[in-house]
Amino acid sequence: MRPTATLFFVSNVTNPMAIPESELIINKNGTIYHLNLQPEHISDTIITVGDPDRVSMVSKYFDEIEVQITKREFVTHTGYYKGKRITVISTGMGTDNIDILMNELDALVNIDFQSREPNEEKISLKIVRIGTSGSLQSDIPLGSHLASHHGIGLDSLMEFYPLEQDENEQSITKALQEQLGVGFRPYCVNGSKSLIEKIAFDMIPGNTLTCPGFYAPQGRVLRGGLRNPDLLKVYQDFKVCDFRITNFEMETAGYYAMGRLLGHEMLSLNAIVANRISQEFATNAEEVIDSLIVKVLERI
């Protein structure tokens, strides 16, 4: 009698919908690569800050902190403020970090880490940036709070994404490109109207320029020099109809563009701690930031 053969089949067919391991990197402990977070570690309401030390300036007001995780410049605290679950996370500086932050936050809520497939039902996060900024207009005083109705990016991040812009946004970026005399097209994206109405209804409305650096891109001269000595004036005088640039920093436009691409509500709020036209810097900068933090927590 011939023995019965036992057959083993090894399938080489992979799930075509699954995101490869090299693209969606999950750590051995089940956390997303850079943020070191699992989906349950975050709320759908998120406050972001640039400085890791500023996370505790927000979470000190929480009634309870249930999550405290740190990796690189990304410090995350999740807890409760008056019964509402809120996450606060630091990003570091620049839109390169915003690219990481926004993609990985989105992955935490919109991708199944087991199947590595996007979820059918998408979650839209509500993200509010609390940051510092310098004013480009004499009528925007030190110590004020400004809400970015638009972010205008001078960085190259959106050269790599299929960002769609309306005619008004394109006309603004074309005019800015011409006035700056640069070989690339900036990008312009609006913030969340619903978050502006809920949180920033009494703040100064502004259009925030996002620069790819703190020194020369913002018109500062130490020893490296400045290719365009009139750069600050170009920023200050730029206008398309009633659209003007009010302030500048290093992240807002990246946030707004990634928010549009991924379907998240995004608002950038700015504590004005410097006025570059009058060349003043606020002596009470920490108080200005703290008052903005409290205002956001009460309204979010």
Side-chain angles (χ1 to χ4, degrees), residues 39-270:
E40 61 267 25
H41 290 152
I42 65 169
S43 168
D44 61 359
T45 301
I46 298 172
I47 294 172
T48 65
V49 295
D51 186 350
D53 290 338
R54 203 169 287 155
V55 171
S56 60
M57 290 180 63
V58 179
S59 65
K60 72 180 182 183
Y61 291 108
F62 288 0
D63 304 314
E64 173 192 352
I65 300 175
E66 64 177 17
V67 173
Q68 295 187 68
I69 295 173
T70 298
K71 187 174 182 183
R72 308 187 191 196
E73 59 266 68
F74 301 107
V75 177
T76 303
H77 291 182
T78 296
Y80 291 86
Y81 179 80
K82 295 186 177 180
K84 184 174 181 63
R85 192 168 187 256
I86 297 173
T87 293
V88 55
I89 183 169
S90 62
T91 67
M93 294 183 289
T95 57
D96 50 347
N97 279 10
I98 303 310
D99 174 69
I100 292 171
L101 176 87
M102 293 295 285
N103 274 295
E104 295 196 3
L105 286 178
D106 180 75
L108 287 169
V109 297
N110 287 319
I111 297 176
D112 185 316
F113 280 16
Q114 297 300 316
S115 67
R116 309 183 71 86
E117 295 180 28
N119 300 330
E120 287 189 14
E121 293 187 12
K122 301 298 187 295
I123 293 174
S124 179
L125 298 170
K126 296 177 179 63
I127 304 171
V128 178
R129 168 192 175 267
I130 298 176
T132 57
S133 183
S135 170
L136 279 163
Q137 304 295 337
S138 58
D139 61 337
I140 299 175
L142 294 180
S144 57
H145 296 156
L146 181 146
S148 303
H149 285 225
H150 291 85
I152 309 98
L154 293 181
D155 61 292
S156 62
L157 183 60
M158 286 304 116
E159 292 294 313
F160 302 91
Y161 284 97
L163 177 70
E164 294 184 3
Q165 299 176 97
D166 61 30
E167 290 185 11
N168 180 57
E169 292 167 344
Q170 291 183 48
S171 67
I172 290 167
T173 57
K174 181 180 179 182
L176 184 58
Q177 179 185 20
E178 292 173 352
Q179 292 195 31
L180 287 174
V182 293
F184 63 90
R185 176 72 67 87
Y187 60 98
C188 178
V189 187
N190 64 286
S192 166
K193 293 180 180 179
S194 62
L195 289 179
I196 289 172
E197 291 174 359
K198 181 178 182 179
I199 299 173
F201 52 85
D202 59 352
M203 299 183 193
I204 296 172
N207 301 306
T208 301
L209 188 69
T210 294
C211 298
F214 183 77
Y215 288 95
Q218 295 188 26
R220 288 185 174 90
V221 182
L222 299 184
R223 289 193 339 102
L226 192 62
R227 177 174 291 183
N228 182 355
D230 297 320
L231 187 61
L232 271 183
K233 186 167 179 55
V234 173
Y235 292 159
Q236 181 190 18
D237 294 346
F238 177 77
K239 271 196 174 184
V240 175
C241 298
D242 59 350
F243 185 101
R244 65 172 184 166
I245 299 172
T246 54
N247 62 305
F248 53 10
E249 44 74 87
M250 294 174 62
E251 291 91 31
T252 294
Y255 270 123
Y256 283 9
M258 294 303 299
R260 176 178 292 181
L261 286 162
L262 297 172
H264 301 297
E265 296 289 314
M266 183 68 225
L267 174 62
S268 177
L269 302 176
N270 304 269

